[in-house]
Amino acid sequence: MFKRSLMVFLCFMLLLTGCHNNNVLKDQNDNDSQELPTYDKLNLVWKDQLDFSNEIVEYEVSSYTPKVPDYRVAENLSNIKNLDRFNGFSNEQIGKLVNNGFVVLDPNPERAYLYMKMYDIYENNEYKQIPSFITVDVALHMYHKFFGQTLKGIEEEKLFEALQQLTENMLNKTQILYLDEGNMSIKEELESILVYFSVANKLINDTYGDIPSELAEIALKEIENIDKAEGYVKSSLFGFDINYEQFIVRGHYAGNETLEKYFKTMMWYGLIGYPFEDEIGNPDFESITKALMTTYIAFLEIEENDDISLWDKIYSPTNFFVGQSDDITIFDLKGVIIEVYGEKVQLKDFKDESYHEKLIKEIDELPQPGIQNKLITGAVDTPTGKQFRFMGQRYTLDANIMQELMFPIIRPVPTGLDVAGAFGNERAEGLAKEGYLHELQSAKYEEELQKMKNKVQALSLSDWQYNLYNGWLWVLKKVWSPEMQPVGLPFFMKNQAWQDKNLQTGLGSYAEIKHDTILYAKQPVAEMGGGEELQEHYPNYVEPAVEVYNRLLWLVQFSRINLEKRELLTERGEIALKELEDLYLLLRDCSIKQLENIPITEEENNALKYIGGRMERIDNTLSPEYDRPVSSAIIADVAGIADFGLFLEIATGLPNEIYVAVYDEERVYLARGVVYSYYEFLNDKPLTDQQWHEMLGVEKIEEYEWHYQRINPEMLLKNSPPQPDWVKSFKSTGANRVEISDIEYNLE
């Protein structure tokens, strides 16, 4: 009772002091403060983390033998049966069709409306009555649509409210401890933690809470830095450099007020940590103490508020989507606390130096982060080693690969080719060594790359099938390293240009996974220095990539079963996954038949004919009408060059057309499909999708209450950066002037 009276008296005195040093900051939109529970209402409960084991989904391997007859494309394209429908190919484009059996073209300004979404071209093919070439690109893109929209829905509908409550509870508990007279010896540490959660509370709940003005000033400076987002700035709270540009809201979070708050709060919890060592490698006991106290506070229960369950409610779903924290979590430190201090530990024990020897021994047993930023010049003062983060960003294999292949000063700029090369793509390795090493010797790159190759090769099937992120990478591994001999394959698959096309396909999908997980995946950092139609049969064709479709089929089944188990699968998501499962089955079965030179059925051919509308239906199912993305182009920053303030951006641009000479029942047809356009470039700030769209020539139109996007033909690709040089092996350097004639009609 005495403690409660003291706390109320202190709060009253703080309010009376107005704007003096002990003033309590109140936001203008705050309601009257509610009285906090007393210190004796806090109970320490060591709860365990929720354990969601995955339901196993068997992966099926298809057996088939390629038997496509050996065919070629005539010099003048004369053996293409439906050539009369296509006009406007340049000599260079005809040359690629003759030599490679396919050619990729930039968007045609005269058909700008076809390039907003990946499946638009297929709907136009149906209208034009020309064969469709259904690509791996669009198959991968449809899983991206599911992954991104499902994660977005879970964050908005389930995780946002949990994050609000968790943050408010952590702030309130810290304030109760701070006001208790028995904690005067640890007041300085509690002040720091109070500011930490005050900043988070401002980001997610629009209020700093009732904290002393001198602490509020520190929180305010942090918020100002977050709002300015001007790169590396010394943190007034932590005393080291923080890259505040990471708080620029991007990915699927931009433009949604709820998700923008969620993004900034989770970035605060995930990007910034308490390091366990100082600048020269000695234990940083001050920082360690704050990490232990934050963990202790998390396990305190107040009025039956279970913050561990709230924390787990956020961590477990994002773990299933992306992966485990790359830094020390509250459950890691829970084990340390119990082992060193016992279950009946008190806050003040964390400052008792007699525990230090045993404490450091236990901390040494904790894992080092897999992704450690390479900062050696001193231009940026940011902790890179073992540290505690309240909701740490996640380890991903690809980021680990990039980080290890970023050599400070000599080769600080990585490339998506690093990831493909480590996954076994020899072409990617060769291209990286030819054009992306700067002054680094090839032998040094090969040495480090081999280590990453060994790491990838050592992964078991269960590792790849651990979560959705790993499963997606597992699909890309097959895209980048198909195990197929050229014998019996279609003509267009028997050349280097097709391998390069596959390389871009994987990188385009890789850009999408980085876009969808921009908030969670830890980023590597280094330093630089009318009538009746004529119903003539025409074949539709699926890009033969049987095992890619098998892996996508496994991935949607794995997604459905395990999201349902976690009660995270919405009705929309369930419908979309069933449609995707049927889609990937269709693509796999048609691929096998085509490779074995067995005609697909008329039913299958019609299903491929109308596939654009089917994909649009899946897309529309995943999101409400008011919140449907317009352009399929996305962008994500995947690495930072700290001392130059630059970011490596990877992106998919507007969809490109692909024309392929396909074989069907002893005839050669020209079929049209869609592929990614992949970009990779340095920029001085992380870009949002909207900014990227503007660079591509996609403009935002606001007419009365209608807001929409469209491609401006006059600005099409005028301000976009160039694509990598290696795409020229399969992509035309000339403009797309191809015209497709309209179908004939019987008018009687």
Side-chain angles (χ1 to χ4, degrees):
M1 190 64 168
F2 172 76
K3 291 180 180 177
R4 178 173 181 176
S5 300
L6 176 62
M7 186 197 71
V8 173
F9 173 77
L10 287 172
C11 290
F12 178 73
M13 292 301 295
L14 287 169
L15 288 169
L16 285 180
T17 53
C19 297
H20 298 295
N21 288 336
N22 293 325
N23 172 41
V24 174
L25 177 81
K26 279 179 61 68
D27 298 276
Q28 291 182 352
N29 60 347
D30 281 356
N31 297 319
D32 292 337
S33 301
Q34 296 181 351
E35 184 177 329
L36 292 172
T38 53
Y39 179 71
D40 59 343
K41 297 295 184 182
L42 297 174
N43 298 307
L44 185 62
V45 182
W46 296 115
K47 291 200 169 184
D48 293 326
Q49 190 170 6
L50 296 177
D51 181 18
F52 282 105
S53 58
N54 290 330
E55 294 293 330
I56 297 174
V57 175
E58 294 297 327
Y59 171 62
E60 298 181 8
V61 178
S62 298
S63 177
Y64 57 93
T65 303
K67 301 175 184 177
V68 179
D70 192 17
Y71 69 98
R72 290 291 184 271
V73 178
E75 288 292 332
N76 57 0
L77 309 184
S78 59
N79 64 332
I80 294 179
K81 185 178 186 302
N82 59 341
L83 183 63
D84 60 320
R85 298 295 307 282
F86 304 89
N87 297 285
F89 285 111
S90 69
N91 289 336
E92 179 245 1
Q93 292 159 2
I94 291 173
K96 280 185 164 54
L97 282 170
V98 171
N99 295 325
N100 299 331
F102 77 103
V103 65
V104 172
L105 305 179
D106 269 328
N108 186 329
E110 302 300 321
R111 299 194 296 264
Y113 63 94
L114 290 182
Y115 308 102
M116 291 296 285
K117 296 185 179 180
M118 286 283 281
Y119 48 74
D120 286 342
I121 280 175
Y122 293 110
E123 293 188 280
N124 188 251
N125 287 352
E126 175 194 337
Y127 172 74
K128 289 286 189 180
Q129 296 285 299
I130 61 171
S132 281
F133 185 82
I134 294 87
T135 59
V136 168
D137 303 59
V138 76
L140 290 165
H141 174 73
M142 292 311 297
Y143 186 76
H144 146 69
K145 299 296 294 185
F146 163 77
F147 185 102
Q149 289 298 318
T150 301
L151 179 57
K152 179 179 180 180
I154 292 170
E155 290 166 329
E156 188 170 14
E157 297 168 20
K158 296 179 180 292
L159 307 190
F160 175 77
E161 185 176 347
L163 189 62
Q164 278 188 310
Q165 191 62 58
L166 173 64
T167 300
E168 182 181 351
N169 291 350
M170 290 298 294
L171 178 63
N172 287 342
K173 288 189 293 185
T174 306
Q175 188 174 4
I176 291 170
L177 294 168
Y178 173 74
L179 292 173
D180 185 78
E181 63 176 355
N183 292 326
M184 295 301 292
S185 62
I186 53 173
K187 183 177 180 180
E188 184 177 339
E189 288 80 8
L190 288 171
E191 285 178 343
S192 177
I193 298 170
L194 192 61
V195 173
Y196 178 74
F197 286 110
S198 174
V199 172
N201 204 59
K202 180 62 177 177
L203 294 171
I204 191 78
N205 290 316
D206 299 317
T207 174
Y208 293 95
D210 294 339
I211 66 173
S213 60
E214 66 269 19
L215 302 184
E217 288 176 6
I218 302 173
L220 179 60
K221 289 178 182 177
E222 292 294 342
I223 293 294
E224 287 175 347
N225 286 333
I226 289 170
D227 290 341
K228 290 177 182 176
E230 293 180 344
Y232 283 93
V233 176
K234 188 77 68 180
S235 167
S236 55
L237 175 60
F238 289 92
F240 51 72
D241 292 334
I242 293 173
N243 186 359
Y244 290 96
E245 280 179 324
Q246 288 292 343
F247 288 92
I248 294 174
V249 181
R250 50 210 193 275
H252 63 247
Y253 305 90
N256 181 308
E257 183 178 356
T258 296
L259 290 180
E260 287 187 352
K261 291 181 179 180
Y262 177 84
F263 179 96
K264 289 185 176 182
T265 309
M266 286 294 287
M267 187 62 74
W268 177 253
Y269 285 151
L271 179 68
I272 305 159
Y274 292 101
F276 288 175
E277 293 182 350
D278 61 21
E279 298 84 0
I280 58 175
N282 293 324
D284 188 340
F285 286 109
E286 180 181 347
S287 183
I288 293 171
T289 298
K290 293 173 185 176
L292 295 171
M293 287 183 173
T294 301
T295 300
Y296 178 97
I297 294 169
F299 282 92
L300 287 175
E301 288 190 0
I302 180 171
E303 296 182 343
E304 299 182 354
N305 285 336
D306 187 352
D307 292 332
I308 297 304
S309 293
L310 287 173
W311 188 94
D312 230 5
K313 185 177 182 179
I314 300 164
Y315 181 82
S316 291
T318 52
N319 178 27
F320 178 63
F321 271 87
V322 187
Q324 295 180 331
S325 172
D326 195 37
D327 294 288
I328 307 305
T329 71
I330 59 173
F331 284 100
D332 295 318
L333 285 192
K334 168 199 164 186
V336 170
I337 290 172
I338 292 174
E339 184 65 29
V340 175
Y341 302 94
E343 293 190 6
K344 298 186 181 298
V345 61
Q346 298 182 27
L347 272 176
K348 61 184 180 181
D349 294 339
F350 297 136
K351 291 195 71 174
D352 189 337
E353 295 183 3
S354 66
Y355 290 99
H356 281 185
E357 183 178 351
K358 189 175 183 182
L359 175 62
I360 294 304
K361 182 180 178 181
E362 290 298 319
I363 286 178
D364 285 343
E365 294 297 318
L366 296 175
Q368 289 282 352
I371 303 166
Q372 294 193 40
N373 298 343
K374 296 186 175 182
L375 305 172
I376 62 173
T377 67
V380 174
D381 171 27
T382 299
T384 61
K386 192 180 297 185
Q387 55 192 284
F388 167 82
R389 298 185 183 184
F390 187 62
M391 190 74 71
Q393 291 181 313
R394 314 310 166 82
Y395 170 88
T396 60
L397 174 62
D398 58 283
N400 188 184
I401 292 168
M402 277 195 174
Q403 183 71 81
E404 293 308 308
L405 294 174
M406 293 171 74
F407 299 85
I409 312 304
I410 300 174
R411 198 245 185 188
V413 183
T415 168
L417 297 171
D418 293 338
V419 180
F423 275 41
N425 189 291
E426 294 181 0
R427 175 64 170 166
E429 179 180 347
L431 289 169
K433 288 191 287 191
E434 287 174 16
Y436 293 83
L437 295 192
H438 306 286
E439 299 177 4
L440 182 70
Q441 291 184 353
S442 179
K444 177 63 175 174
Y445 179 79
E446 289 176 1
E447 177 185 346
E448 296 301 318
L449 181 64
Q450 188 58 52
K451 294 177 183 178
M452 293 297 101
K453 284 183 179 180
N454 294 341
K455 190 166 192 172
V456 172
Q457 291 169 1
L459 295 176
S460 65
L461 185 61
S462 61
D463 293 324
W464 290 112
Q465 298 182 350
Y466 172 72
N467 59 24
L468 300 187
Y469 192 102
N470 284 13
W472 193 337
L473 290 181
W474 185 54
V475 175
L476 297 186
K477 187 175 187 295
K478 178 55 64 175
V479 175
W480 283 326
S481 53
E483 298 171 0
M484 298 179 70
Q485 297 298 320
V487 177
L489 292 181
F491 168 56
F492 59 83
M493 296 180 71
K494 297 180 177 181
N495 51 70
Q496 184 63 64
W498 189 256
Q499 294 179 35
D500 290 353
K501 195 285 299 181
N502 281 342
L503 180 55
Q504 177 181 254
T505 295
L507 288 171
S509 183
Y510 178 61
E512 289 179 332
I513 191 176
K514 300 310 290 184
H515 170 272
D516 294 345
T517 59
I518 191 74
L519 174 58
Y520 301 104
K522 195 174 184 181
Q523 193 173 107
V525 177
E527 292 170 317
M528 202 111 162
E532 182 183 357
E533 299 173 10
L534 289 176
Q535 294 296 328
E536 182 180 359
H537 170 81
Y538 64 88
N540 295 287
Y541 202 91
V542 178
E543 179 181 341
V546 178
E547 293 310 317
V548 174
Y549 302 131
N550 270 335
R551 292 190 182 192
L552 282 169
L553 183 60
W554 174 87
L555 189 54
V556 296
Q557 293 169 342
F558 180 75
S559 302
R560 176 177 53 78
I561 290 174
N562 286 289
L563 286 172
E564 190 173 48
K565 178 178 181 178
R566 291 165 169 80
E567 299 183 353
L568 296 172
L569 188 59
T570 63
E571 184 179 356
R572 288 177 179 271
E574 186 174 12
I575 294 171
L577 280 175
K578 182 62 175 69
E579 288 274 6
L580 279 176
E581 188 172 348
D582 292 343
L583 175 66
Y584 295 145
L585 276 169
L586 171 68
L587 300 185
R588 183 199 64 185
D589 293 347
C590 288
S591 287
I592 292 174
K593 287 183 177 181
Q594 290 164 176
L595 285 171
E596 296 193 325
N597 200 29
I598 299 172
I600 63 175
T601 66
E602 193 61 33
E603 181 181 3
E604 289 169 329
N605 195 53
N606 282 333
L608 297 178
K609 175 181 178 179
Y610 299 114
I611 204 163
R614 186 174 191 172
M615 291 176 176
E616 182 178 33
R617 184 170 66 247
I618 294 171
D619 192 4
N620 290 344
T621 298
L622 285 166
S623 55
E625 186 173 0
Y626 67 86
D627 192 29
R628 289 174 185 163
V630 181
S631 173
S632 63
I634 54 85
I635 193 165
D637 49 291
V638 296
I641 316 303
D643 51 342
F644 274 62
L646 297 174
F647 295 85
L648 178 65
E649 302 277 357
I650 63 173
T652 61
L654 298 176
N656 281 186
E657 290 181 74
I658 184 172
Y659 291 87
V660 187
V662 300
Y663 181 90
D664 181 79
E665 298 189 62
E666 300 183 358
R667 295 176 177 177
V668 179
Y669 292 83
L670 198 60
R672 182 174 69 158
V674 64
V675 294
Y676 293 114
S677 57
Y678 176 73
Y679 292 82
E680 187 175 291
F681 59 97
L682 291 172
N683 201 62
D684 59 358
K685 281 186 178 295
L687 291 170
T688 66
D689 287 347
Q690 179 61 40
Q691 291 168 326
W692 175 233
H693 291 171
E694 291 171 2
M695 293 172 67
L696 294 170
V698 179
E699 58 185 11
K700 187 174 183 179
I701 306 299
E702 297 184 7
E703 295 178 348
Y704 305 104
E705 296 182 358
W706 291 95
H707 296 178
Y708 62 96
Q709 286 184 322
R710 70 182 180 194
I711 295 175
N712 182 342
E714 295 182 0
M715 297 302 297
L716 184 63
L717 305 181
K718 289 292 191 300
N719 297 315
S720 61
Q723 288 188 257
D725 281 344
W726 53 265
V727 305
K728 294 176 183 176
S729 68
F730 61 84
K731 183 172 179 178
S732 171
T733 56
N736 182 348
R737 302 301 182 198
V738 177
E739 296 294 337
I740 301 170
S741 62
D742 291 328
I743 55 176
E744 298 180 15
Y745 293 90
N746 280 333
L747 300 175
E748 298 179 352

